[in-house]
Structure formats: C-alpha cells, structure tokens
C-alpha cells in the first residue's frame, strides 16, 4: 500500500527538526562538493564529461552483445556468469551458490561477507539470505553501521552520511572518536573475513573485452572480501558492462573526482576470474590463495525496459558517483531516507520506478525543486530534471498544488482571485506579497516613435513584481523603443509543467503564444525562467511550435546588457556606487548560462557586485515546490539569507522574480532588513536624468 502523504510529511518534518541530522548533512554535503571542485582543478570536467558520455552511450547501443562478450571471456578463465531477469531470480541464484558453497560446512552457520553494493540493496539480498540461516556481514564501515541500525543507506557512496560520530559510537559501543570507532570495526570484523565461506561484492565496471570486474574502494575491505573466502560472487546491473579497458579508465578519471573528491581512491581492484597459478610445471591450478570460484550475477530488473525508453535511456549511463545528491538542495535539507527509496537522490527518483514501482518514489519525487544542479554536476550529463518530471506526470499531486494549478489554468478566475487576495497577502509570515496594482493596470501607450518592442511580463512579474516590468519599460524607452504590452498574455506554462501537468503547461504556452503572435519587434521578459520555459522546455510538453514568437523572445538581462553596451551614455556617471549581492537563479545559471552577463550589466550601471557564497545551490522557491513543501523551502531560504548576510550587502539582486519573491518573503518573516530587487530595477535607477 502506498505511503500516505501525511505520513511522508511527518518524516520530512522530523528530518528538518533533527539538529544532529541537519549538522551531519550540511557538513557532509558542503564538504563533498568542496572536495569535488578541488579535484577537478587538475582535470577538465567538461572535456572528461563529454568523453565519458560518448563512451557510455556507445556502450548502451551494444549492451546485449557486450554482456555476452563479457560472459565468454570470464568463463574462458574459469569464472561463471548467471543472468537474473528480476530481483527474485537474482536472490535465488545467489542463495543457491551460497548453499552449494556451504554444503559441506558443519557446526556454526555459514558466514557471508559483503562489500558495499547498491545492487544487493536493490534486490533486498541481506534479509533473504538471513532468512535461510546465513550470517550476512557488511564490511564497509558505513554499511556496517547501517546494517546494525536496521536501516538502508542514505547515500549512494556514503551509506551512513546521516549519522554523526556520536551515533556511530552508540552503534559500536565505543568512545565517540573516529579512531576508536574504526579500531572497533577492524577488530570485530577481522575474524569474520577469515571465517567467511562466501564473499559478495558489486562491480563499478565489468569489462567485456577481458571478462574483468573493477571495484573502486577506500577501506581495503573489498580486498579481504573478494580474496579470503573460497567463493566470490559479484552482483551488478547489466548497465555496468563497458566495452574496453579504455572505457573503464575513462570512468576512473571521473568517478573518484565526482564522488569523493579524490583523484584516485585507495584501492582499485581488477578481478578476472578465480585465483589461479601455473607456477608448478606450468600446470594451471584454480583457487591458490584466492577464491576457487568466481560467479558474476548480471541483473536486469527493469534495465532493459529503461534502455528501450528514449526519455530514460540515458539514466543507464550513471556511474553511481552520488554527485547529484551532493548538489541537490532538498537532499541536503532532508536526507536520503526521505529523498528516495533504496536508490536515493535525484538518480534514485529516476531509477526507482523501474526497479520497485512508481509508488515507492511518488512522494519523494515532489521534493525535487527542478533547480537543475544535479544535471550540471553529473559526470555523464544525464538529463535528470527532465526524467524526474516525466515520472511526476503520473504521480499524485497534493490538494494544495491541485488548487493552485486549477486556478492558474483559468486566467479570468486567477485574475479575480489575485486581485481579491492582494490586500491581504503578506500578512502571514513567510507568505509572498501580491501587488495591489498589477503591471497590466499601469501600462500606458508609448510616446516614443521608435522600433517596436513587446514586454512579456510573466504572471509572476505582472502580479507580484510589476516594478521589474516598469523598469524594463523605462530602459527600453530610454533606448528608443516603442514599448507595447498585449494584455491578453498570462502564463508560459512552467508552473503547470513543473508540477507534472505537461498538458496544462502546453495549453498555457499555446495561449500565451496566441496573445503575442500579432505583436511587433522583440519580445522581452524580465523572467529568465519563463524565457527558458517558452523557448526551450515547451517543445517537450507537447506545445505547438511558436516560431514567430519564440524567435523574437529575449531575456531581459542580455537585452539590457546589449542596450548599455551600445549606449553607455544612458547611465548616470555620477550615480552613487553600491555593493550588490547577486543571487544566481537556477534557471538563469544552469539552463540559460547567465553567469557573467547580469554581473556585467550591474557593473555597467555603476554597481559593485559581490558573489553570494552558495550553501544549497537554490533559494528554495521552485515554483509550486514552495507551496507544497514550505518548511523545506524555508530551510533553503534560510541558508540563502545566511549566505547573503556574509556578504555584508543590504541589497540583493536577481533576474528571476520567483526567487526574489521567495527571498523577500523569507527575509520579512525573519525581520531581516535587506532590499530584494530585480536587476532591471537597479539599472533603471541609475539611468541619467533625461531617461529616469
């Protein structure tokens, strides 16, 4: 039975209220990101990503053949390959191998040691083997803590990232020092390694041309698990198979840097079949110092279905580095036990429906802010935000979100509701303020006889920040444009599409295009996210082509920058200089690539720009995300306000009205005296007297 929204909300709120968890997550996520950034200082990330993406996609095209090639080469050196179509079959295969390995064992029950393996978590292997009377021992330190606390890993590469050292000390019954915890783990596990009959690992890669599996680890437990027991079983998804040694090396260049911030991990094991030697008269003997049997269990469990799906196929290129979780703002706020199922983080939201069904990740999916930080940091450039939205199309929507969408898709009703609610908005702490007079009521016919220009204000600017549209009008007028505003315009459709309602988003897009189709000249919008939605995203929603409109549309940042670059005399040279903290909105930065442009624009207008030391990669607005998860959004906003405070600036600027509305409301609720302004407002304030 699917988890109820009420129960899930309680879990989320409990995570937000847990100070130890918050401390552990914040320290871990910021630390991992910093180390990752440092590791890529010596290696070109973009070049490495392009190379690895090309290789991984090429491998997918020939995956069945590569799997067969891997099988042939491994079995040629004495290994054995098994294929499992689903989790149940994989469990049965592994259980039978273990049973055969321990068939002659008497006395104590058989011990199975394990290396960290998310595939084994995927098929819920441990409880199954334990139900058959086997003692299963996780040997990775984090996995061991997770096992002893009877939970699941909360991160792909750092399973116990949610635990502090005090938590770990309680688990092991030791002093709360890292040294004491590690010493206890070493002492308690050493005999388990020696007594184990079977060692189970995963595989970071499986090389088709040699029949080799590759394990990337740090602790040394993989060496002991894969060499001391007489039987070694490697369980991995078919997507881990690569064609060549060169492909494996390409993964190695990116995986440690992306995952742990290391140029290379402590151990990289290359295992090709069971232990063997020909030292005595060149007679090949199997099982010398290492295992006498090596079995590889290759798992499908929804992967072929994914490979056949054009939207989700790229998810199989994932190298399981966990970088998407490290970059994810909501993950840092609530942790992996809330943000996912067995596979967690952004990639977990994509994979889970194929492995365990949509119900298991339906509610966690709503925690995604669509900030695009996950794709930006992904070493194989998986379009995770788009894939998450595809699953969201089929998911449940909260009553709160449904109510907003139902109003938003009916412009006349939305107009009445917003006008009626404007006088009362902002009274609740943290709630946004609506404009008493929307921009559409302020528009007057242009008196400039110049080149035509149309303003697409966006629903957010029109109703919440009309001053941004007024500023755009002043800048365009100063530059000699005849400014118009078709009042039939409403919403670009992003608010609906981000909620998983692609049909509703497409309808809103088409209505907007119709309202603008007869306009003349450039169409400029003060909302960067709406510009991206209309010109880039809408085609994926099934919206009608709108070349006549889309080709003329411009974002206001690049437009204003072009104006001031060509017409520097528009700016008052004696205007008062002021330090401005600049907030990069998610869509502006990651979708449109607007990084230097808004800073240069503000500098041309006479301001000194100060970068905000980002903590969470997002302010927490996320469209309807802030409506559905106000407490999570509030946590992200608090991190943003803390970062703004560190700049010492009293003014913060951005080019995204949703971010500005959210930051302003959060600052007001916390009684923080900071002005939140659109870039265009600040530029307009520094126009010369003749144009102000």
């Amino acid at each position: 039975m699917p988890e109820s929204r009420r129960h899930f909300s309680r879990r989320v709120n409990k995570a937000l209220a847990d100070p130890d968890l918050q401390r552990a997550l914040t320290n871990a996520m910021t630390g991992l990101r910093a180390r990752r950034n440092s590791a890529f200082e010596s290696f070109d990330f973009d070049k490495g990503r392009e190379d690895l993406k090309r290789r991984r996609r090429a491998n997918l095209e020939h995956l069945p053949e590569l799997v067969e090639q891997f099988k042939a080469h491994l079995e040629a050196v004495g290994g054995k390959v098994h294929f499992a179509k689903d989790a149940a079959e994989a469990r049965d295969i592994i259980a039978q191998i273990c049973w055969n390995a321990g068939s002659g064992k008497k006395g104590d029950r058989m011990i199975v040691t394990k290396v960290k393996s998310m595939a084994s978590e995927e098929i819920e292997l441990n409880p199954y083997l334990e139900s058959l009377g086997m003692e299963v021992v996780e040997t990775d330190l984090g996995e061991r803590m997770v096992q002893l606390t009877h939970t699941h890993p909360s991160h792909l590469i750092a399973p116990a990232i949610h635990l502090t050292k005090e938590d770990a000390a309680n688990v092991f019954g030791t002093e709360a020092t890292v040294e004491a915890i590690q010493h206890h783990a070493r002492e308690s596990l050493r005999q388990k390694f020696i007594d184990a009959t079977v060692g189970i690992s995963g595989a970071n890669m499986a090389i088709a041309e040699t029949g080799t599996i590759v394990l990337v680890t740090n602790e040394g437990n993989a060496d002991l698990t894969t060499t001391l027991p007489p039987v070694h079983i490697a369980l991995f998804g078919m997507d881990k198979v690569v064609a060549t040694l060169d492909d494996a090396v390409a993964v190695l260049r990116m995986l440690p840097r992306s995952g742990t911030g290391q140029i290379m991990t402590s151990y990289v094991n290359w295992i090709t079949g069971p232990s063997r030697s020909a030292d005595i008269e060149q007679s090949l003997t199997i099982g010398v110092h290492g295992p006498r049997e090596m079995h590889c269990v290759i798992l499908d469990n929804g992967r072929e279905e994914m490979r056949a799906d054009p939207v989700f196929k790229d998810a199989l290129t994932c190298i399981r580095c966990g970088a998407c979780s490290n970059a994810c703002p909501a993950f840092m706020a609530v942790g992996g036990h809330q943000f996912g199922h067995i596979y967690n983080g952004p990639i977990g939201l994509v994979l889970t429906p194929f492995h365990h069904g949509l119900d298991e990740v339906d509610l966690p999916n709503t925690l995604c802010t669509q900030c695009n930080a996950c794709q930006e940091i992904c070493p194989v450039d998986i379009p995770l935000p788009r894939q998450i939205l595809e699953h969201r199309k089929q998911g449940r929507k909260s009553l709160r979100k449904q109510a907003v969408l139902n109003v938003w898709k009916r412009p006349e009703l939305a107009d009445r509701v917003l006008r009626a609610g404007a006088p009362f908005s902002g009274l609740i702490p943290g709630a946004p303020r609506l404009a008493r007079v929307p921009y559409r009521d302020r528009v007057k016919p242009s008196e400039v006889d110049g080149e035509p220009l149309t303003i697409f204000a966006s629903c957010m600017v029109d109703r919440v920040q009309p001053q941004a549209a007024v500023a755009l009008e002043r800048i365009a007028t100063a530059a000699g444009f005849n400014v118009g505003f078709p009042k039939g315009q409403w919403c670009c459709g992003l608010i609906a599409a981000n909620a998983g309602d692609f049909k509703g988003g497409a309808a809103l897009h088409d209505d907007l295009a119709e309202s603008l189709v007869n306009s003349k000249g450039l169409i400029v919008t003060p909302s960067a996210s709406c510009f991206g939605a209309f010109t880039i995203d809408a085609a994926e929603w099934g919206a009608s082509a709108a070349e006549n409109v889309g080709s003329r549309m411009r974002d206001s940042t690049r437009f204003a920058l072009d104006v001031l670059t060509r017409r520097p005399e528009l700016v008052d040279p004696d205007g008062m200089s002021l330090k401005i903290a600049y907030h990069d909105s998610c869509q502006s930065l990651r979708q449109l690539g607007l990084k230097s442009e808004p800073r240069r624009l503000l500098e041309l207008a006479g301001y000194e720009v100060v970068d905000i030391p980002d903590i969470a990669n997002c302010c927490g607005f996320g469209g309807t995300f802030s409506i559905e998860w106000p407490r999570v959004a509030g946590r992200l906003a608090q991190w943003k306000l803390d970062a703004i405070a560190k700049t010492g600036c009293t003014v913060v600027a951005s080019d995204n009205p949703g971010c500005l509305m959210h930051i302003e409301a959060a600052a007001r609720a916390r009684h923080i005296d900071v002005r939140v302004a659109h870039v265009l407002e600040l530029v307009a304030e520094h126009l010369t007297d003749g144009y102000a």
Side-chain angles (χ1 to χ4, degrees):
M1 182 177 179
E3 182 178 20
S4 71
R5 182 172 293 273
R6 178 175 296 180
H7 185 269
F8 182 68
S9 296
R10 283 201 296 266
R11 288 205 287 124
V12 169
N13 292 334
K14 183 179 179 181
L16 290 170
D18 185 339
D20 291 336
L21 175 64
Q22 292 299 309
R23 176 165 57 89
L25 289 172
T26 305
N27 291 342
M29 297 296 101
T30 54
L32 284 167
R33 289 206 301 263
R35 290 195 293 274
R36 178 256 178 210
N37 293 341
S38 177
F40 276 108
E41 289 176 358
S42 60
F43 186 77
D44 189 326
F45 172 73
D46 292 331
K47 184 177 179 180
R49 173 159 75 169
E50 191 58 36
D51 176 59
L52 185 56
K53 178 170 69 171
R54 176 183 58 79
R55 291 174 181 273
R56 294 289 286 145
R57 287 181 174 178
N59 289 164
L60 281 185
E61 295 301 323
H62 305 285
L63 195 55
E65 299 92 332
L66 293 177
V67 170
E68 288 298 327
Q69 188 180 351
F70 174 83
K71 178 179 184 294
H73 282 111
L74 179 62
E75 294 189 342
V77 294
K80 178 67 176 175
V81 173
H82 311 262
F83 297 106
K85 67 178 184 297
D86 55 27
E89 189 170 357
R91 289 193 299 264
D92 288 341
I93 291 169
I94 293 171
Q96 187 62 56
I97 297 170
C98 291
W99 185 265
N100 294 341
S103 60
K105 189 175 180 67
K106 298 179 181 179
D108 296 336
R109 63 176 177 166
M110 184 173 68
I111 295 175
V112 176
T113 51
K114 287 182 73 250
V115 183
K116 180 185 176 302
S117 164
M118 286 304 298
S120 72
E121 295 284 347
E122 175 188 332
I123 68 170
E124 299 179 275
L125 180 62
N126 287 14
Y128 185 73
L129 296 182
E130 288 168 348
S131 72
L132 299 176
M134 302 175 199
E135 180 183 357
V136 182
V137 181
E138 294 286 356
T139 62
D140 174 87
L141 184 58
E143 284 281 0
R144 185 62 173 162
M145 288 190 281
V146 168
Q147 182 182 31
L148 293 175
T149 54
H150 306 290
T151 56
H152 288 294
S154 62
H155 191 282
L156 290 182
I157 66 164
I161 206 166
H162 58 292
L163 300 177
T164 63
K165 67 173 183 278
E166 289 78 16
D167 295 325
N170 289 333
V171 171
F172 289 121
T174 66
E175 295 178 8
T177 66
V178 173
E179 294 76 14
I181 295 165
Q182 291 180 343
H183 178 75
H184 181 275
R186 183 184 183 96
E187 290 295 312
S188 62
L189 290 174
R190 188 62 49 179
Q191 194 61 43
K192 300 294 185 183
F193 285 118
I194 295 170
D195 293 340
T197 304
V198 176
I200 297 177
S201 73
N204 294 94
M205 293 151 274
I207 306 173
E209 70 175 354
T210 59
T212 302
I213 69 163
V214 185
L215 296 173
V216 182
T217 62
N218 273 309
E219 296 177 14
N221 60 308
D223 304 64
L224 296 168
T225 300
T226 60
T227 57
L228 286 180
V231 176
H232 171 207
I233 304 171
L235 166 69
F236 52 91
M238 59 193 302
D239 52 301
K240 295 297 183 73
V241 179
V242 300
T244 66
L245 179 62
D246 286 344
D247 290 338
V249 171
V251 174
L252 282 177
R253 291 194 187 103
M254 298 293 282
L255 176 57
R257 286 182 168 92
S258 296
T260 57
Q262 297 169 278
I263 295 176
M264 187 55 66
T265 54
S266 300
Y267 302 91
V268 179
N269 297 68
W270 307 75
I271 303 172
T272 311
S275 167
R276 56 195 184 275
S277 174
D279 284 351
I280 304 173
E281 295 186 350
Q282 293 299 296
S283 176
L284 184 64
T285 305
I286 299 294
V288 186
H289 291 296
R292 64 174 183 263
E293 295 179 29
M294 182 192 177
H295 299 263
C296 286
V297 180
I298 302 179
L299 180 65
D300 181 348
N301 203 33
R303 287 167 175 81
E304 273 294 357
E305 179 188 355
M306 202 183 310
R307 196 170 77 93
D309 192 308
V311 174
F312 293 103
K313 183 177 182 178
D314 282 349
L316 288 175
T317 66
C318 175
I319 60 173
R320 302 294 194 270
C321 66
C324 58
S325 294
N326 303 340
C328 177
F331 186 99
M332 189 166 83
V334 302
H337 287 150
Q338 284 63 242
F339 202 99
H341 180 51
I342 288 174
Y343 288 109
N344 43 49
I347 187 64
L349 299 183
V350 173
L351 299 177
T352 297
F354 289 94
H355 301 326
H356 304 104
L358 180 62
D359 286 346
E360 296 294 352
V361 79
D362 181 21
L363 294 174
N365 184 302
T366 64
L367 287 169
C368 170
T369 67
Q370 286 291 299
C371 69
N372 298 314
C374 53
Q375 182 172 358
E376 178 187 46
I377 206 170
C378 176
V380 283
D381 194 25
I382 301 172
L384 292 165
R386 172 66 180 86
Q387 293 171 346
I388 290 169
L389 280 185
E390 189 67 21
H391 285 317
R392 192 176 287 180
K393 285 167 58 177
Q394 305 173 54
R396 290 171 283 172
K397 295 175 179 62
S398 67
L399 294 177
R400 208 178 310 176
K401 180 173 285 189
Q402 289 181 47
V404 171
L405 294 180
N406 288 337
V407 170
W408 227 251
K409 288 186 287 187
R410 300 165 65 186
E412 296 81 5
L413 174 60
D415 180 67
R416 293 196 297 272
V417 170
L418 293 173
R419 288 181 185 276
F424 310 100
S425 64
L427 297 179
I428 301 174
R433 283 176 174 160
L434 300 175
R436 299 291 183 98
V437 181
Y439 176 67
R440 63 182 57 241
D441 291 356
R442 307 183 188 197
V443 176
K444 297 179 180 178
S446 176
E447 298 178 357
V448 176
D449 185 19
E451 184 180 347
L453 180 146
T454 298
I455 291 179
F456 161 45
S458 85
C459 53
M460 192 70 66
V461 168
D462 184 19
R463 302 303 173 134
V464 180
Q465 292 184 321
Q467 61 272 22
V470 171
L472 174 58
E473 181 182 336
R474 290 171 60 191
I475 295 167
T477 300
F481 287 94
N482 183 307
V483 180
F485 177 82
K487 292 190 178 183
Q489 64 179 272
W490 175 231
C491 177
C492 67
L494 182 60
I495 190 171
N498 268 8
D501 182 2
F502 280 24
K503 183 178 179 181
L508 286 168
H509 165 277
D510 293 350
D511 288 346
L512 175 63
E514 181 65 25
S515 72
L516 298 174
V517 71
N518 293 322
S519 64
K520 305 298 182 182
L522 296 179
I523 302 170
V524 184
T525 176
S527 176
S529 58
C530 293
F531 171 76
F534 192 92
T535 60
I536 300 173
D537 297 333
E540 295 183 338
W541 310 339
S544 300
E547 290 87 354
N548 177 265
V549 176
S551 63
R552 293 187 287 127
M553 191 171 286
R554 302 289 186 273
D555 69 87
S556 60
T557 297
R558 289 192 176 100
F559 168 77
L561 178 59
D562 180 63
V563 166
L564 292 196
T565 300
R566 290 186 294 104
R567 302 281 304 278
E569 73 277 7
L570 295 179
V571 177
D572 182 1
D574 299 320
M576 183 181 66
S577 180
L578 185 68
K579 286 187 176 181
I580 304 294
Y582 187 76
H583 163 69
D584 290 292
S585 78
C586 297
Q587 280 70 32
S588 298
L589 179 64
R590 301 189 184 98
Q591 184 184 48
L592 305 181
L594 289 169
K595 177 70 173 179
S596 62
E597 291 87 348
R599 290 164 172 79
R600 178 63 179 151
L601 173 60
L602 287 169
E603 289 167 355
L604 287 176
Y607 297 95
E608 180 181 345
V609 182
V610 180
D611 287 337
I612 298 173
D614 208 345
I615 298 174
N617 287 323
C618 179
C619 71
F621 173 60
T624 55
F625 171 81
S626 56
I627 297 172
E628 188 161 21
W629 296 107
R631 293 188 183 181
V632 182
R635 179 60 49 82
L636 271 56
Q638 182 60 61
W639 284 331
K640 181 61 65 176
L641 291 171
D642 291 344
I644 292 169
K646 291 179 181 178
T647 68
C649 297
T650 57
V651 179
V652 58
S654 184
D655 63 357
N656 192 295
C659 297
L660 294 172
M661 177 188 73
H662 185 60
I663 294 170
E664 188 277 331
R668 183 163 31 87
R670 293 161 177 80
H671 307 290
I672 297 174
D673 187 17
V674 60
R675 181 190 175 192
V676 182
H678 197 287
V679 169
L680 296 176
E681 295 177 66
L682 299 173
V683 172
E685 289 170 9
H686 274 199
L687 295 178
T688 58
D689 290 341
Y691 299 111

